[in-house]
């Protein structure tokens, strides 16, 4: 007699077709292993081709009492959309939405409806035609990240005025305490009453402007963030993942809901913008700059990205191929390149060469064949200065910044230049390349590096001593420290390449103790995944969304068992 699991696999194949139900370990590897961290076994990976199929897959999994892990692009850094290695009490089905793209602009493009698998790149393309932008630009969009994934994980972004990805308008399915699946339409569009009718009409765009509701009580972005980030004397961070004020239904749900679509604000393109490249050996200069701009300027910066010299150096060598790939092929090709890399690694693993990091070595070797890619003025500033800030202003903010730099900027240990268009483009590409440089360094120097401790922290808004000084006992176990981040939000990414022979987990706990003493919150924008423990308010939010603990259980070191046992 077929087992319950065999019945479920048969049902799934009937719903989406056999080719979209993957069970072979080699076929499922790219889905069940995290982009940077985590991974474990699954009963199957299912890739539905429509919202209705997504709903039917979810129903079949619930009928079989199978765990559902929602996944879109699998670009998260904390393993939050991949399974744990062990600890579940039910079979696990990974439901990947990458085949369900689609963006629908409403209100003349002032808002967008994004379906479950729509990518940031897809949204950018739609908005570019009408002179508008999404919440996030260069960064997650380059690696094919999904819009829904960003909302569900409170993703941050580099843009100073916008805060975390957030909306109170969403269409999602929820599992009740009895294990029943219910569709909740809080998208603000009248699509009928039957679940499959609602999903089918939404995907086909069968609705009129009169069906779209407006409600000033519901927000489609974090509209208060611009004022919030200006409060420079507050002893709390501007933004962090577990902030209770930014947890609402799909927003921050981290896979504890099955999200079919979200409705988001869009933003006008930046006009008349200028990028300033600032270098200094005195961190206090950047502290004053941040506080003065946030407190006094009429215009907030568009971006203010910080890079420490060590991060600059490591990215210049170990992020060069990513830089060149975006520059030569454009962001639209990068997801395909990442997929090709995953196939190479899977093949290498099958023939016993998985530990050799074959794709990393091939790409690193290829990058050496290309000439110097960074502008001369940036390289000169690297030699002169330890701390680098890429500051983009737009509109009246450009003149404000020029006046500030002319009248109040201390040049004793600092300097700046206004970037040409090419220099600005390359500065931001280099900043993006920093994010993956530590991973490449670890792969190439596997014998010297035990692992990476990658922290994603938010310092209080009133912090003035933001440069970290580690005790010698910790510092001596680290080969390189990479500091970079969103300076005006006081959100920093801190990647530590831990020397071989030392336990990264012990080191991480020591680091977190130091951060607690500084009033930091963590993670700042990448969600807890399977790396960080969920703090009580966040864990309570998850339990309220998913009382059966049927969707992505175990996230944030919480219970992986049915009904949170």
């Amino acid at each position: 007699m077929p087992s319950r699991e065999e019945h479920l696999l048969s049902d799934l194949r009937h719903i989406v077709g056999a080719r979209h139900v993957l069970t072979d370990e080699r076929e499922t590897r790219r889905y069940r292993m995290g982009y940077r961290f985590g991974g474990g076994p699954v009963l199957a990976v299912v890739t539905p081709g429509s919202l209705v199929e997504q709903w039917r897959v979810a129903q079949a999994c619930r009928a079989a009492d199978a765990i559902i892990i929602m996944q879109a692009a699998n670009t998260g850094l904390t393993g939050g959309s991949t399974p744990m290695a062990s600890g579940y009490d039910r079979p696990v089905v990974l439901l990947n939405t990458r085949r369900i793209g689609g963006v629908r602009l409403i209100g003349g493009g002032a808002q967008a409806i994004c379906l479950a698998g729509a990518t940031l790149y897809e949204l950018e393309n739609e908005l570019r035609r009408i002179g508008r932008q999404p919440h996030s630009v260069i960064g997650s969009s380059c690696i094919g990240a999904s819009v829904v994934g960003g909302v569900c994980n409170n993703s941050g972004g580099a843009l100073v005025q916008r805060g975390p990805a957030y909306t109170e308008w969403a269409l999602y399915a929820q599992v009740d305490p009895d294990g029943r699946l219910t569709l909740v339409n809080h998208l603000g569009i009248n699509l009928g009453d039957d679940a499959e009718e609602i999903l089918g009409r939404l995907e086909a765009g069968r609705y009129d402007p009169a069906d779209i509701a407006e409600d000033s009580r519901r927000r489609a972005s974090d509209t208060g963030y611009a004022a919030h980030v200006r409060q420079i004397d507050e002893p709390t961070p501007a933004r962090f993942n577990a902030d209770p004020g930014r947890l609402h239904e799909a927003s921050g749900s981290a896979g504890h809901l099955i999200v079919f679509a979200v409705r988001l604000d869009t933003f006008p393109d930046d006009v008349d913008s200028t990028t300033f490249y600032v270098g200094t050996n005195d961190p206090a200069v950047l502290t004053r700059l941040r506080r003065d701009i946030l407190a006094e300027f009429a215009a907030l910066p568009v971006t203010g990205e910080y890079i420490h010299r060590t991060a600059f150096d490591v990215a210049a060598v170990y992020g060069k191929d990513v830089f060149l790939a975006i520059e030569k092929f454009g962001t639209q090709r990068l997801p395909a390149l990442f997929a090709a890399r995953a196939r190479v690694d899977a093949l290498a693993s099958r023939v016993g060469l998985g530990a050799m990091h074959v794709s990393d070595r091939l790409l690193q070797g290829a990058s050496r064949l290309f000439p110097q890619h960074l502008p001369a003025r940036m390289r000169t500033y690297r030699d002169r200065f330890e701390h680098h800030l890429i500051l983009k202003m737009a509109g009246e903010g450009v003149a404000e910044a020029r006046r500030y730099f002319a009248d109040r900027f201390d040049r004793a240990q600092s300097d700046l230049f206004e970037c040409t268009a090419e220099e600005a483009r390359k500065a931001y590409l280099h900043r993006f390349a920093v994010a993956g440089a530590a991973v490449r360094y670890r792969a190439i120097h596997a014998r010297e590096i035990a692992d990476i401790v990658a922290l994603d922290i938010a310092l209080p808004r009133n912090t003035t001593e933001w440069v970290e000084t580690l005790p010698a006992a910790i510092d001596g176990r680290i080969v390189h420290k990479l500091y970079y981040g969103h300076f005006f939000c006081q959100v920093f990414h801190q990647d530590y390449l831990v020397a071989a022979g030392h336990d990264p987990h012990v080191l991480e706990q020591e680091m977190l103790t130091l951060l607690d003493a500084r009033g930091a919150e963590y993670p700042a924008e990448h969600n807890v995944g399977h790396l960080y423990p969920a703090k009580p308010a966040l864990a309570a939010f998850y339990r309220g969304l998913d009382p059966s603990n049927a969707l992505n259980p175990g996230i944030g070191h919480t219970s992986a068992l049915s009904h949170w046992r």
Side-chain angles (χ1 to χ4, degrees), residues 291-304:
R291 290 178 64 84
D292 289 345
I293 288 178
L294 291 180
E296 301 173 18
F297 278 31
L300 281 174
V302 177
T303 56

Side-chain angles (χ1 to χ4, degrees), residues 185-205:
N185 183 5
H186 286 170
L187 203 58
I189 304 178
N190 180 12
L191 297 164
D193 299 313
D194 175 74
E196 293 199 4
E197 177 193 8
I198 290 169
L199 296 167
R201 284 183 60 187
L202 176 65
E203 187 160 12

Side-chain angles (χ1 to χ4, degrees), residues 33 147 163 226 262 301 345 350 390 416 422 454 461 467 524 562:
M33 303 305 291
V147 178
V262 293
D345 286 338
R350 287 203 294 272
I390 309 164
L416 77 142
E422 181 182 18
R461 285 166 285 174
V467 175
S562 177

